[in-house]
Amino acid sequence: NVETLVAGMSYLPDYELVLASKITDSRRAELTKLIPQGTRVSFLGGVSDEEYSELLSSCFALVSASLDEGFGIPALESISQGTPAVLSDLEIFREVAGDGALYFAPRDPADFASKIRMLEDGERWNQLSMAGKRQSASFSWAVSAKKLLSLIQGL
């Protein structure tokens, strides 16, 4: 659902949407055709773990317009670094990111853009950053592994 993010850039000409994931050349061409004139969208075509961490720590917000999500690890990675997330309004994202994110209707580019604009309030950005760090502290690989092992043993 990257199309929603790309379309939302028409409301955000002063921002750059950086798409870090690997994509095929045909998908990139498809998305490039959708980029609103006068906006900035970059395709990185995949990044290393180090580059990804740097992107998360230096960006204004992590954004995702996912329509279906298994867990939301990128959202958790973002908020754990204090970078607020702007996410499609999915139950799993609310569970994972909690108050460390703003949520938008996943097929509404204007709603996505309005949530980005809400983060322009420095106090609000800082509140979400701190809330995200608190929220992410409740997750750990060790706790998740123990829960999964317990579930498997119960079967």
Side-chain angles (χ1 to χ4, degrees), residues 39-60:
T39 65
R40 295 177 296 149
V41 177
S42 300
F43 299 88
L44 300 183
V47 294
S48 69
D49 289 343
E50 295 79 23
E51 291 168 323
Y52 179 63
S53 182
E54 175 60 30
L55 280 171
L56 287 179
S57 66
S58 64
C59 70
F60 184 65

Side-chain angles (χ1 to χ4, degrees), residues 57-84:
S57 66
S58 64
C59 70
F60 184 65
L62 172 96
V63 299
S64 175
S66 181
L67 297 174
D68 186 31
E69 195 69 35
F71 179 75
I73 289 176
L76 184 58
E77 291 169 333
S78 179
I79 66 170
S80 72
Q81 290 193 26
T83 301

Side-chain angles (χ1 to χ4, degrees), residues 86-152:
V86 176
L87 308 167
S88 50
D89 195 358
L90 300 178
E91 185 177 337
I92 189 64
F93 278 155
R94 285 189 177 273
E95 182 180 333
V96 170
D99 293 335
L102 296 175
Y103 303 93
F104 65 94
R107 294 194 189 273
D108 186 342
D111 192 24
F112 156 65
S114 74
K115 298 308 187 282
I116 293 292
R117 292 287 183 207
M118 290 172 75
L119 286 176
E120 291 175 343
D121 175 345
E123 184 175 328
R124 182 155 206 177
W125 193 97
N126 286 331
Q127 288 172 347
L128 265 82
S129 174
M130 293 173 64
K133 286 181 180 181
R134 283 191 304 273
Q135 174 73 9
S136 68
S138 65
F139 293 93
S140 79
W141 287 113
V143 170
S144 295
K146 285 179 185 177
K147 287 180 180 180
L148 180 58
L149 180 60
S150 176
L151 178 65
I152 291 170

